[in-house]
């Protein structure tokens, strides 16, 4: 058995350019580096630089004393976290809402992307995309105000029921309907924007596969199951892994604005728990311990989800 080795050789009369020094490459790419500098600075300051603040989780932190002179208490804040029923209530609410978001919100952008991809007319597709993208650019204050105006006690829906002689329905402020409501709000606001990556992946699917499957008699459902979904499976797995990494970070503004209406027993999540414990009560060390716990769980979920992705034959976030 022979092994063939190919060597790239320049044609006769053509000189191979020498390797470009690093300084020359940096000088040539200085515009791109300057454009990337603000984003790089943002991550360095607000993401990596803030990691030093995790030291507060092991201290009885007093702002007037600073990080160096505050008393070190070891694992006392974590022990308090284990014994705190309010913390476990926030964990339960967070997990329940996170599961609902994973089950109902994560597939919604994929379904919407498949629907948009199936629209033949470019004008109609662009119009629908613009409409579904628009809610992403609205703040949570405006979104919740819109839902309050539509579903509140004096909202449009109850106004219609009153005109029909039907009793009003309490949706906004109802603890029993709060968790499904926040999932619906998230889908309405972010579903359109989340379709961008799926739409980009769908454009890379080989059209000849659709034509071949259609000639073999495969209907729309079979083409979806055997051609479309397998072609974008790597993107789906990657986004699912990233979603699991943020499993406990379900948001702050949305829940902070509605917490008072339903009460902390239902509306308290880990992000609002950290805020009220740290800033409202001034217990910075305990709040930092809860935040560190959430970060460690997120890293563990990413690692576990990535291992599962490797078992399924996908790359995931990083290679093995």
């Amino acid at each position: 058995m022979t092994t063939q080795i190919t060597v790239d050789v320049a044609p006769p009369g053509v000189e191979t350019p020498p390797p470009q020094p690093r300084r020359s490459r940096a000088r040539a790419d200085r515009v791109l580096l300057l454009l990337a500098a603000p984003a790089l600075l943002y991550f360095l300051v607000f993401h990596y630089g803030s990691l030093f603040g995790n030291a507060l989780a092991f201290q009885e932190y007093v702002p007037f004393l600073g990080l160096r002179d505050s008393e070190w208490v070891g694992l006392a804040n974590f022990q308090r976290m284990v014994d705190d029923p309010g913390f476990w209530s926030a964990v339960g609410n967070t997990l329940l809402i996170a599961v609902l978001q994973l089950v109902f919100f994560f597939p919604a952008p994929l379904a919407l992307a498949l629907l948009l991809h199936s629209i033949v007319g470019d004008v109609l597709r662009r119009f629908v995309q613009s409409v579904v993208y628009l809610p992403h650019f609205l703040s949570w204050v405006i979104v919740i105000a819109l839902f309050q105006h539509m579903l509140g006690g004096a909202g449009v829906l109850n106004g219609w029921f009153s005109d029909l002689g039907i009793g009003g329905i309490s949706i906004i402020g109802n603890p029993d309907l709060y968790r499904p409501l926040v999932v619906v709000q998230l889908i309405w606001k972010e579903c359109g924007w989340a379709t961008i990556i799926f739409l980009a992946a769908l454009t890379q699917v080989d059209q000849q596969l659709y034509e071949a499957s259609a000639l073999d008699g495969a209907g729309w459902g079979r083409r979806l199951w055997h051609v479309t979904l397998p072609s974008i499976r790597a993107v789906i797995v990657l986004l699912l892994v990233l979603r699991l990494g943020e499993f406990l970070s379900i948001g702050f503004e949305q829940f902070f604005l509605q917490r008072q209406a339903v009460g902390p027993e239902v509306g308290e999540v880990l992000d609002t728990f950290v805020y009220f414990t740290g800033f409202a009560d001034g217990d910075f060390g305990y709040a930092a311990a809860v935040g560190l716990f959430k970060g460690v769980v997120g890293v563990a979920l990413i690692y576990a989800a990535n291992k599962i992705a490797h078992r399924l034959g996908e790359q995931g976030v990083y290679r093995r």
Side-chain angles (χ1 to χ4, degrees):
M1 181 176 180
T2 60
T3 302
Q4 183 178 2
I5 301 176
T6 59
V7 180
D8 294 334
V9 180
V14 178
E15 297 183 359
T16 303
Q20 192 175 9
R22 292 185 178 180
R23 291 184 179 180
S24 300
R25 291 189 59 185
R27 190 179 299 109
D29 297 336
R30 61 183 180 274
V31 176
L32 296 177
L33 294 175
L34 288 175
L35 291 175
L40 180 61
L41 184 63
Y42 166 79
F43 281 100
L44 288 176
V45 174
F46 294 102
H47 288 266
Y48 293 100
S50 60
L51 291 176
F52 295 100
N54 289 324
L56 272 67
F58 306 95
Q59 289 183 311
E60 189 66 37
Y61 180 74
V62 179
F64 299 103
L65 297 178
L67 188 63
R68 184 178 60 181
D69 297 329
S70 296
E71 179 185 0
W72 289 87
V73 295
L75 300 177
N77 288 323
F78 295 94
Q79 181 63 44
R80 177 184 168 188
M81 184 174 63
V82 173
D83 300 333
D84 185 5
F87 165 75
W88 290 112
S89 176
V91 170
N93 293 332
T94 304
L95 289 176
L96 184 55
I97 295 174
V99 170
L100 291 175
Q101 288 183 355
L102 186 64
V103 173
F104 293 101
F105 173 71
F106 183 79
L110 176 58
L112 181 58
L114 292 171
L115 179 62
L116 293 174
H117 188 66
S118 64
I119 298 177
V120 178
D122 292 337
V123 177
L124 179 60
R125 184 190 299 118
R126 292 173 183 173
F127 174 75
V128 175
Q129 286 178 345
S130 300
V131 172
V132 298
Y133 289 172
L134 181 61
H136 169 77
F137 299 98
L138 301 178
S139 68
W140 274 113
V141 176
I142 298 177
V143 171
I144 293 173
L146 290 174
F147 272 83
Q148 178 70 37
H149 181 71
M150 295 296 297
L151 306 177
V156 175
L157 182 63
N158 280 335
W160 290 344
F161 288 156
S162 178
D163 294 338
L164 296 173
I166 305 175
I169 300 177
S170 176
I171 298 179
I172 300 293
N174 188 338
D176 297 329
L177 299 177
Y178 174 71
R179 297 184 182 97
L181 176 64
V182 296
V183 177
V184 172
Q185 291 172 347
L186 180 66
I187 292 175
W188 183 82
K189 184 178 186 297
E190 299 295 346
C191 182
W193 185 256
T195 60
I196 293 177
I197 297 179
F198 289 119
L199 285 173
L202 288 172
T203 58
Q204 302 301 317
V205 180
D206 191 355
Q207 297 299 317
Q208 294 181 356
L209 296 176
Y210 290 118
E211 297 173 0
S213 59
L215 291 175
D216 290 338
W220 180 85
R222 287 187 175 274
R223 290 199 299 269
L224 172 65
W225 185 256
H226 294 288
V227 177
T228 306
L229 293 180
S231 300
I232 63 174
R233 187 177 69 171
V235 176
I236 296 175
V237 171
L238 175 62
L239 294 179
L240 181 60
V241 171
L242 295 176
R243 183 69 184 176
L244 289 176
E246 299 179 349
F247 195 69
L248 298 182
S249 300
I250 58 176
F252 172 75
E253 296 90 348
Q254 180 187 12
F255 302 96
F256 175 78
L257 294 170
Q258 301 178 95
R259 175 181 178 272
Q260 191 66 26
V262 297
E265 294 80 10
V266 177
E268 189 82 281
V269 295
L270 283 176
D271 289 329
T272 58
F273 183 82
V274 170
Y275 171 81
F276 283 102
T277 302
F279 292 96
D281 300 337
D283 199 346
F284 297 100
Y286 183 41
V290 176
L292 182 58
F293 163 80
K294 189 180 71 170
V296 171
V297 171
V299 172
L301 287 174
I302 284 184
Y303 181 78
N306 220 56
K307 284 295 184 181
I308 296 175
H310 292 162
R311 293 292 182 90
L312 296 175
E314 300 295 339
Q315 178 179 336
V317 179
Y318 57 87
R319 297 181 182 273
R320 286 179 285 186

